[in-house]
Amino acid sequence: GSSNHTSSPLLLQIEIMTGRSIAAASVVAVISVIGTISVLPFASCFTATTTVRSLALSNHRQSFFSTKATESDETELQSSLTSASSRIEDCKRTLINQCNSHKLESGYSSSIDSSIRNLEQLGEDLGFGQASSVSGLLSGEWDLIYASDDITRSSPFFWAFRRAFPDNSDQIFGITDAIPEPIKMVGPATQEIDLDSSSRGTFVSRVKVATLGGVATSIMTTRATIMGAEGVDGLRLKVETTKPEESTILKKLGPLGELISSNSQPFPSGEALEKVAPGSSEIVMVTTYLDEGLRVTRNKDRSDDDVFVWVRVGEFSGGNTASL
């Protein structure tokens, strides 16, 4: 009993000390927990703020460099377009100067033919003067400045005539072509095109023909219907009529000549050709280069042989290129 009594104060002291230690540890633990709880949101807030600022700065840098890259691309593109346009204009200028120095009635020229092919190829490579049948630039009145064959061959009537008489047309043309000046003079030639948004419309070809040294002249006028587009650079034409208009012989007859002229019906050349060879009255005109002022046209049936260069009446002054 006495031993239990002696140890009690010692045990009590140990218990008190142990309790204080536990309490102290508990307080430290609580403080640590509270500190952690307090610090974590602050740390999270700091980290989130830093992340947002970093992302904003990164996006700003990306936007800055992206804008600079876009501006650089646009500048480079504009420079490239300007260079391409200049090359086209130089090629056109060479061609037009050659045509102006070449007598229209002289026919084929190897140097002009080479310049035409250069323009066609350059336009195709750079995307200028293309898609002629849908570009909306064909409508208007055009003057012929170069023909690889006799000027009369610019008329769709002669293209259709070849289809109707494939074996004899060259011989027939040769007879009329052989008539020398001044007994026969041909030119100028014009074409008037009226095309709607569906690539349909009307086509009028006029070629001045003078005989007897210019005593008798007339305008051989062929009218055709534009039936529609053939691809992106072709138009299908159906020849309807051919008629000599503004005849000087009839004009010299005064009122009687005017009466005869006004009452004479156009020759139904298209119908006549159809009787010889069904389908021959329809031809395809392919325009291989076209802008606001210049047009290069080929006969699809003879694309390597029949090529014609036209300029827009009253509007051509070097021309402006059209990219499509």
Side-chain angles (χ1 to χ4, degrees):
S2 59
S3 61
N4 291 337
H5 179 74
T6 304
S7 62
S8 293
L10 179 60
L11 290 172
L12 179 60
Q13 186 177 1
I14 293 171
E15 289 174 358
I16 291 171
M17 293 177 63
T18 304
R20 288 176 180 174
S21 299
I22 293 173
S26 299
V27 171
V28 173
V30 170
I31 292 173
S32 299
V33 171
I34 293 173
T36 302
I37 293 172
S38 301
V39 171
L40 280 175
F42 177 77
S44 299
C45 179
F46 178 78
T47 303
T49 304
T50 304
T51 302
V52 169
R53 292 182 62 189
S54 297
L55 287 173
L57 182 59
S58 176
N59 290 337
H60 175 72
R61 286 174 176 170
Q62 290 178 2
S63 175
F64 174 79
F65 288 115
S66 176
T67 301
K68 288 296 183 181
T70 301
E71 292 176 353
S72 176
D73 290 344
E74 290 178 353
T75 302
E76 185 177 347
L77 177 61
Q78 185 61 42
S79 176
S80 177
L81 288 174
T82 301
S83 175
S85 179
S86 297
R87 292 172 64 190
I88 288 288
E89 291 299 328
D90 289 344
C91 193
K92 285 169 52 181
R93 191 176 298 109
T94 298
L95 172 60
I96 293 165
N97 288 338
Q98 288 176 324
C99 291
N100 290 337
S101 300
H102 179 77
K103 290 183 66 175
L104 181 58
E105 60 272 21
S106 298
Y108 177 79
S109 163
S110 59
S111 60
I112 293 178
D113 185 73
S114 178
S115 294
I116 290 172
R117 294 181 186 275
N118 287 341
L119 178 61
E120 291 172 329
Q121 187 62 57
L122 191 60
E124 183 177 348
D125 291 343
L126 300 178
F128 286 84
Q130 304 301 293
S132 58
S133 59
V134 294
S135 68
L137 296 174
L138 271 172
S139 291
E141 190 173 358
W142 300 85
D143 276 337
L144 182 68
I145 61 170
Y146 172 75
S148 60
D149 203 336
D150 189 82
I151 299 171
T152 58
R153 304 304 185 272
S154 65
S155 169
F157 167 75
F158 289 93
W159 299 10
F161 190 90
R162 282 189 187 276
R163 291 175 62 83
F165 301 94
D167 299 326
N168 304 317
S169 58
D170 285 339
Q171 182 179 358
I172 295 171
F173 293 157
I175 295 173
T176 57
D177 291 349
I179 301 174
E181 294 185 15
I183 298 175
K184 184 203 74 171
M185 294 181 290
V186 182
T190 63
Q191 289 182 348
E192 188 175 339
I193 302 172
D194 186 4
L195 201 62
D196 63 21
S197 58
S198 63
S199 298
R200 296 175 181 273
T202 57
F203 186 100
V204 182
S205 168
R206 294 183 175 93
V207 181
K208 184 177 180 180
V209 178
T211 57
L212 304 176
V215 174
T217 65
S218 63
I219 308 297
M220 299 303 298
T221 304
T222 295
R223 300 179 186 276
T225 298
I226 302 174
M227 303 176 68
E230 290 274 326
V232 295
D233 59 2
L235 288 178
R236 179 169 289 275
L237 276 60
K238 182 177 177 61
V239 174
E240 302 288 355
T241 63
T242 301
K243 179 185 178 180
E245 299 178 349
E246 301 180 25
S247 170
T248 55
I249 296 296
L250 292 179
K251 286 181 179 179
K252 289 178 180 180
L253 297 178
L256 176 60
E258 292 180 8
L259 180 65
I260 295 173
S261 177
S262 61
N263 285 278
S264 61
Q265 296 299 313
F267 175 66
S269 51
E271 182 180 338
L273 293 172
E274 284 291 321
K275 291 180 178 179
V276 175
S280 61
S281 66
E282 295 184 16
I283 55 92
V284 176
M285 180 184 75
V286 178
T287 298
T288 54
Y289 181 87
L290 172 69
D291 62 28
E292 289 90 340
L294 183 69
R295 172 165 68 98
V296 177
T297 295
R298 293 179 181 271
N299 175 3
K300 185 178 180 180
D301 289 341
R302 290 165 48 88
S303 59
D304 288 335
D305 300 312
D306 291 353
V307 57
F308 307 91
V309 180
W310 303 82
V311 292
R312 192 181 297 276
V313 173
E315 295 183 20
F316 186 80
S317 56
N320 295 316
T321 53
S323 177
L324 303 171

